[in-house]
Each structure stands twice: as structure tokens, then as C-alpha cells.
Amino acid sequence: MTFKSLVAAACMGLMATAATAQDSSVKVGMITTLSGGGAGLGIDTRDGFMLAMKMAGDAAPDVVIEDDQRKPDIAVQLADKMIQSDKVDVLTGIVWSNLAMAVVPAATAQGKFYLSTNAAPSALAGKGCHPNYFSVSYQNDNLHEAAGAYVKNAGYTNPFILAPNYPAGQDSLTGFKRLYGGGLAGEIYTQLGQTDYAAEIAQIRASGADSVFFFLPGGMGISFLKQYAESGLDIPVVGPAFSFDQGILQAVGDAALGVINTSQWNKDIDNAANATFVEAFQAEYGRLPSLYAAQGYDTANLLLSALASADISDAEAFRAALKAADFDSVRGDFSFAANNHPVQDIYVREVIKEGDIFTNKIVGVALEDHSNVYVDECKM
């Protein structure tokens, strides 16, 4: 039996909404977006996380999964239910930073651990840091900082930048400007969930910009890229992985070919853990994994590594086991900075086509062993 067949057999019957109870002494609550415009991001997060849990077999804890519908009030209600009724020990899964800001401080204040598969707002990296909060993805500014560094090094001098008006969008433009460091043709915030970008594209056209940087995750990015291509503008665009991720690329199509974007993960990172993950994910789900799936998978394996070496009832020991990050990351070298956010390489990728599938390939390294600027503000 081939490796792919073995993985497929091992993963057969993987549940989409809950894991079979294995270690009944530990319970994990996953709150993520499974419906509406951001559903693809949450589905990939869930699928990557649950793939690692299934592959862990009897070592996997019980997992309860709920849909936050991308609504902060729903996320808070679900977190309260999970903590008070389901008695979870660990929370995870939130995609959107405004939801994380509503849930994480309350969860950690109640003694729960929160492992972020995606959202990592600056407010929780600096003064709002907490010993029980670990971001396994990045710090929100990071991929945008890498894009700013790329734009600067590529010789662009007048970019137009835009992002949605919520915590991650604000962090994105802050991060871009930090390492770009030059003048701007324009800077605007769009509405979260916006789908019509005619006004913004008209502003870009009139601005004299020599490049465009945008952060528009999920359906927002699909809408913008399609409308941008239809507008006939030929100004080069650069963005973070969130705007050029696997699910988005299939919907955008040829309009994304050749676009440069930045990411801390890609399917062609050359290490054994990543090769296993990519092959196992394709065998189980019949599609290529995305950044969100990779982050979910890594978060699950970090959790499993900590559970293997420390009892979760001993908070200090379990916290130290998480901090050690003693697992094989799909990203290769991975460690935590003092504020529990990753230190990792961030890559430059280019959108390509492999057969009928749009995807990305790594073309360079934007930032090596990159941390975040908020470490010194964190006093834990």
C-alpha cells in the first residue's frame, strides 16, 4: 500500500464537525467561521486541525467545533458555552481579528489556554499579551511587513495601499508602511465584507500609483481582483498570502497569474513534515491545502506535543511545553518570541498554474527569522 493510501485509510471517516473522544481528560473548543463569506478560511482551518488530530489516533483529545458565522457576539456566546458548559481546556480556531479581540482576553482571564490558528492582532501581542495566549500563525503585521520590504527592494516608490477597516486591516497597513518606509499614492480603508470596489479602483487609477498593495481576505479579495482585472488597470499588485491563497486563486483565475505575495508557508517548503502534510491533506480532502489549513495543522501538532510532555492540569508545565514548540512544523524552523508569537521565515511567492490548478511557488525569502515589533511592550 502506498503512503498516500495509508494516509487515506488512516484518515477515513474524518468528521467535519467534531472529533471522536480519545483523551477524555482534555477537551478542545474550536470556534471558527464555517458559513457566510469567510467560510472557506474556517473550513480550511478546521480541516487542517482535524487532519492532525486524526493522524494522532488515540493521542488526540476530544474536540468540539462551532460556527461563529463571522459575528463577534456569536463567537463570545460560543466561547462562554464552551468554557462553562463544555468545560474545554483549550480554545482555538478564530480566523478574524475582531472576533479574537472579543474572545481571547475573556478566555485567558478564566485560566483557559488560547492557541491562535490565524488572528493575531497587535493589541494581543504588546500590552495585551497573556501567558496563556499563543499565536501559532504570525503576528498580524508580519506578512504585510514582508510585502513592504519587497516593494521597497523592487524599486517601487509610489504605492497605493488599501485594507478593510478592522484590527487586522489596520495592522496590515501599519506593517506595510513600517518596512516600506516611503511615500504613498493613497491609503484607504474599505468596509469589512465589501464586494464592490469600483470607487477604490477609480481612486487608484487617478492616483498616479506605480504599484498597489492590498489586504482583502476571503471573498473580498476575490471580488477586488476580478474587478481590478476587468478595469484594465495594469499597475502591478502585491499582497499578503491571504489575498492569494489556494481557495481564492481558483475563483480569481488568470487575473492572479504572476502576482507577487508574501507568506510564512507554501506547499513547496522543502521539509519532511510539509511533504507529509501536503500529501495527507490532498488524500483526505481532494484539494491542495491553503495557508489556513497549514496553520490549523501546525496548531494541532503544537498542542499534541505539549500534551505528550505535560499534564494540562499543571498550567505552568503545560505553558512551558507549548513555549518549547517541540513539534515538526510544516514551516521548518519555528520558535516563539517572548510574547508567544512566532519567529519564522517569511517568503516571497508568485502565482503560477500547475495543469488546471492555480497555486503559488516560492521565489525568494523576504524576511529571515522574523519576530514582531511588539515584544518589548509585552510585560509577562
Side-chain angles (χ1 to χ4, degrees):
M1 183 176 287
T2 67
F3 170 78
K4 186 171 183 178
S5 298
L6 285 168
V7 170
C11 295
M12 191 69 67
L14 179 64
M15 297 295 291
T17 57
T20 302
Q22 302 287 349
D23 181 355
S24 60
S25 66
V26 179
K27 186 174 283 190
V28 178
M30 171 172 277
I31 300 169
T32 197
T33 304
L34 302 175
S35 61
L41 285 58
I43 289 168
D44 279 0
T45 297
R46 176 199 67 193
D47 289 353
F49 189 93
M50 295 306 292
L51 176 64
M53 289 295 169
K54 188 67 176 182
M55 292 171 74
D58 291 342
D62 192 14
V63 183
V64 178
I65 303 175
E66 298 279 4
D67 177 15
D68 59 38
Q69 303 171 49
R70 209 171 78 179
K71 298 176 180 177
D73 58 334
I74 298 295
V76 169
Q77 292 170 22
L78 291 172
D80 288 344
K81 170 185 171 292
M82 287 182 173
I83 293 170
Q84 296 163 17
S85 300
D86 297 326
K87 306 298 183 183
V88 301
D89 303 286
V90 179
L91 285 163
T92 190
I94 290 176
V95 172
W96 306 91
S97 289
N98 53 331
L99 275 65
M101 288 301 303
V103 168
V104 173
T108 54
Q110 295 176 72
K112 303 303 178 183
F113 286 89
Y114 190 94
L115 307 182
S116 182
T117 56
N118 190 63
S122 56
L124 298 180
K127 295 178 181 178
C129 67
H130 192 283
N132 287 0
Y133 169 69
F134 289 79
S135 172
V136 194
S137 50
Y138 40 67
Q139 191 282 312
N140 273 0
D141 300 17
N142 288 164
L143 305 194
H144 316 291
E145 290 172 327
Y150 170 81
V151 167
K152 179 180 179 179
N153 292 336
Y156 296 117
T157 59
N158 198 33
F160 192 105
I161 65 176
L162 66 157
N165 192 14
Y166 78 119
Q170 295 153 14
D171 287 346
S172 73
L173 298 193
T174 298
F176 177 89
K177 290 186 288 185
R178 180 179 296 121
L179 293 192
Y180 164 63
L184 300 173
E187 175 181 358
I188 54 176
Y189 286 104
T190 63
Q191 295 299 310
L192 186 62
Q194 182 173 325
T195 57
D196 184 352
Y197 295 94
E200 288 80 7
I201 291 171
Q203 287 181 257
I204 293 169
R205 186 187 301 275
S207 70
D210 64 358
S211 55
V212 176
F213 167 78
F214 73 98
F215 164 59
L216 293 166
M220 293 179 285
I222 296 171
S223 296
F224 177 81
L225 279 170
K226 284 186 172 181
Q227 292 166 35
Y228 190 87
E230 290 167 0
S231 75
L233 277 176
D234 60 358
I235 303 170
V237 293
V238 176
F242 321 113
S243 300
F244 301 93
D245 207 36
Q246 204 58 51
I248 290 177
L249 290 179
Q250 308 322 304
V252 173
D254 289 338
L257 281 174
V259 172
I260 295 296
N261 61 98
T262 51
S263 180
Q264 86 282 32
W265 176 82
N266 201 55
K267 67 182 180 65
D268 58 352
I269 293 177
D270 188 13
N271 64 66
N274 197 41
T276 297
F277 162 64
V278 173
E279 188 166 7
F281 192 93
Q282 287 184 277
E284 177 59 28
Y285 301 111
R287 67 184 192 272
L288 286 173
S290 69
L291 171 67
Y292 302 97
Q295 291 171 169
Y297 185 82
D298 262 3
T299 301
N301 281 314
L302 168 68
L303 174 60
L304 290 165
S305 74
L307 291 172
S309 63
D311 192 321
I312 201 166
S313 64
D314 183 344
E316 184 175 352
F318 186 70
R319 191 179 299 117
L322 289 170
K323 188 81 169 186
D326 187 17
F327 74 105
D328 292 329
S329 171
V330 297
R331 286 164 267 182
D333 292 341
F334 178 98
S335 61
F336 284 113
N339 62 349
N340 294 347
H341 286 65
V343 178
Q344 59 191 339
D345 291 344
I346 303 178
Y347 302 94
V348 177
R349 311 188 306 182
E350 180 183 351
V351 179
I352 62 170
K353 195 172 185 180
E354 295 179 343
D356 294 330
I357 303 297
F358 294 92
T359 188
N360 288 281
K361 70 174 181 180
I362 292 174
V363 295
V365 179
L367 301 170
E368 293 185 0
D369 295 327
H370 190 62
S371 180
N372 65 92
V373 300
Y374 304 101
V375 173
D376 290 343
E377 296 178 20
C378 175
K379 303 303 181 184
M380 65 183 183

